[in-house]
Amino acid sequence: MSALPDPGATRAVLIGTSRYDHLEPLPAVSNNLTALAAALAEPSSWGLPPEHCVTLFNPTTAEMAMTAVRAAAEQARDTVLVYFAGHGLVDPENDLYLAMPQSRQQQVETGLPYRWLRQALLTGRAERCVVLLDCCYSGRALGSMGGPADLADQASVEGTFLLAAAAETRPALAPPGEPFTAFTGELLDTLQMGIPHGPELLEFGALYRHMRISLAAKGRPAPQARDRNTGAQLALGRNPAYLPATGSAPPADKNRASERSWPSPSGIRTVRGFFKALSDVRVTSGLTHQMVSQRSGGRVSAGTVSRLLNRENLPKTWQTTAAYLSACGVPDTQVAEWQAVWMRLLAETTIEAAAQPTVPRPSQEDNPTLMERLAGRLSRRNGRS
């Protein structure tokens, strides 16, 4: 079953090298990182807060990149995503290493061996890993970015989805004059425009198939993909081009609503994820705030819907959230699942709040009034005169 990750329990590390001392520069890489970070922050995608998405432009050492990857893999409980754009090189033993600014051909010690990154992901706490590799093998006159034929095999990580720009027989491209590399540009276009006649959520499996066809149609190298377990079902965002098969039936029709792919509360781990999924429910319903209010029979106003979806703390009572979910058309059985998640998160946050050390309020003796402070100043001034 496709799903978007919980943004509160998800981390991303975006690494890009555009400047090189000994290899051809790839200026489009900087645009890749900026645009992808913005896309991951969109509510229609993962809705990642800035502190959950680390962007490294031209890291000078492999240690800088690995420190960020290890931290993300340790902090993430849902999904960790690692993206690299730049030159990809192959050492004498045919192992992949990612080029840093001072990297040289055939000198693995000057770059970041992929096996280091892979091991960090394997030993992390995240349940799912995503690896996006938009990397080159050699500096070519037109900004080409190549890779070994078995790139996906080298980069495979258990429990992940790997999407790699390198094809088996052709290099990938960084087309001159274009703002992005071919691979990342196609990925960003798909997130923005969607997949016509595609699924409601942009699962990585569907993304790969669409990008492979689209890039080949443009005469550009097709990507490779490798997945483990259910990695292909993880979604990168909602499909803007999605059209429900139910035609023009009202979104809240009882029979039609039960057929919708409602966001599942089962993957929610944090309060942030709870409200992100609540917002996704309204998007799935196709209803405006005002329409939700009307369908609730007056139980929630449009303003209440807006305030509910923009809260940072869990509501202490369940009635408003239940009315909102029912008005959107969520089946009663799933509303009960939502309530169970709400109760669990409420209990967890209550325990966390109780565990926080209390800071004693200063007594009156430790917190003199304004008049007492003024009197002290006058006394000191008189003592100096």
Side-chain angles (χ1 to χ4, degrees):
M1 180 178 179
S2 60
L4 290 165
D6 182 333
T10 295
R11 301 292 187 273
V13 180
L14 313 182
I15 307 167
T17 308
S18 61
R19 301 192 306 266
Y20 291 94
D21 294 342
H22 311 288
L23 303 173
E24 180 184 356
L26 298 169
V29 166
S30 294
N31 297 332
N32 286 2
L33 266 63
T34 301
L36 185 56
L40 291 174
E42 287 290 330
S44 59
S45 181
W46 285 4
L48 288 185
E51 63 271 18
H52 289 184
C53 183
V54 175
T55 304
L56 298 178
F57 293 90
N58 299 301
T60 55
T61 65
E63 183 181 4
M64 291 178 59
M66 287 305 304
T67 297
V69 170
R70 287 195 184 95
E74 180 62 26
Q75 294 166 5
R77 288 177 288 148
D78 188 318
T79 301
V80 59
L81 179 149
V82 176
Y83 167 91
F84 174 81
H87 286 294
L89 304 175
V90 179
D91 68 13
E93 297 181 354
N94 289 325
D95 287 331
L96 174 70
Y97 66 104
L98 312 179
M100 302 287 102
Q102 289 86 30
S103 290
R104 294 177 181 268
Q105 293 277 5
Q106 297 291 306
Q107 294 184 14
V108 67
E109 70 276 9
T110 65
L112 170 60
Y114 182 80
R115 63 180 181 274
W116 293 2
L117 190 153
R118 180 179 183 273
Q119 187 61 32
L121 295 177
L122 285 172
T123 57
R125 297 195 304 164
E127 292 185 4
R128 295 175 291 197
C129 300
V130 176
V131 180
L132 305 179
L133 294 177
D134 191 351
C135 58
C136 72
Y137 172 55
S138 62
R140 304 175 71 93
L142 296 180
S144 61
M145 296 166 37
D150 60 344
L151 179 63
D153 290 327
Q154 293 189 46
S156 62
V157 178
E158 291 296 332
T160 76
F161 189 88
L162 166 73
L163 191 57
E168 293 183 358
T169 58
R170 296 181 59 189
L173 297 174
E178 295 191 13
F180 308 110
T181 59
F183 172 83
T184 299
E186 192 67 36
L187 177 64
L188 293 168
D189 284 347
T190 306
L191 282 174
Q192 182 177 8
M193 305 302 295
I195 302 175
H197 311 295
E200 188 170 354
L201 296 179
L202 294 174
E203 303 171 346
F204 277 101
L207 272 173
Y208 162 65
R209 292 188 293 272
H210 174 76
M211 290 178 62
R212 188 174 179 86
I213 294 171
S214 297
L215 287 167
K218 297 174 182 178
R220 296 181 172 182
Q224 296 184 27
R226 186 63 55 87
D227 69 280
R228 292 289 187 273
N229 301 323
T230 59
Q233 297 177 5
L234 179 65
L236 189 58
R238 309 194 71 82
N239 183 6
Y242 173 71
L243 293 176
T246 54
S248 59
D253 181 274
K254 290 291 185 181
N255 295 327
R256 304 300 187 188
S258 61
E259 299 173 2
R260 291 181 175 272
S261 300
W262 296 107
S264 172
S266 62
I268 296 174
R269 295 168 174 80
T270 66
V271 173
R272 185 185 292 273
F274 182 84
F275 288 115
K276 172 67 165 62
L278 272 187
S279 180
D280 288 342
V281 165
R282 187 194 64 79
V283 174
T284 301
S285 73
L287 302 173
T288 64
H289 290 190
Q290 187 63 44
M291 294 169 68
V292 172
S293 174
Q294 293 173 355
R295 293 182 183 276
S296 74
R299 288 181 292 170
V300 291
S301 66
T304 299
V305 172
S306 179
R307 288 190 293 273
L308 174 66
L309 299 183
N310 287 282
R311 291 179 63 111
E312 294 184 357
N313 300 317
L314 287 173
K316 301 301 182 184
T317 59
W318 174 245
Q319 288 77 6
T320 299
T321 307
Y324 163 80
L325 291 168
S326 296
C328 286
V330 176
D332 292 343
T333 54
Q334 288 195 27
V335 173
E337 294 176 11
W338 277 90
Q339 185 176 13
V341 172
W342 167 77
M343 293 176 65
R344 171 175 58 80
L345 290 174
L346 191 63
E348 291 174 357
T349 54
T350 301
I351 293 173
E352 290 174 0
Q356 294 294 326
T358 57
V359 179
R361 298 181 61 183
S363 65
Q364 188 64 29
E365 294 179 357
D366 297 328
N367 187 24
T369 64
L370 175 61
M371 292 301 295
E372 290 171 333
R373 292 197 297 271
L374 288 174
R377 290 177 184 174
L378 288 173
S379 176
R380 290 193 296 273
R381 182 179 302 172
N382 291 335
R384 289 197 300 267
S385 60

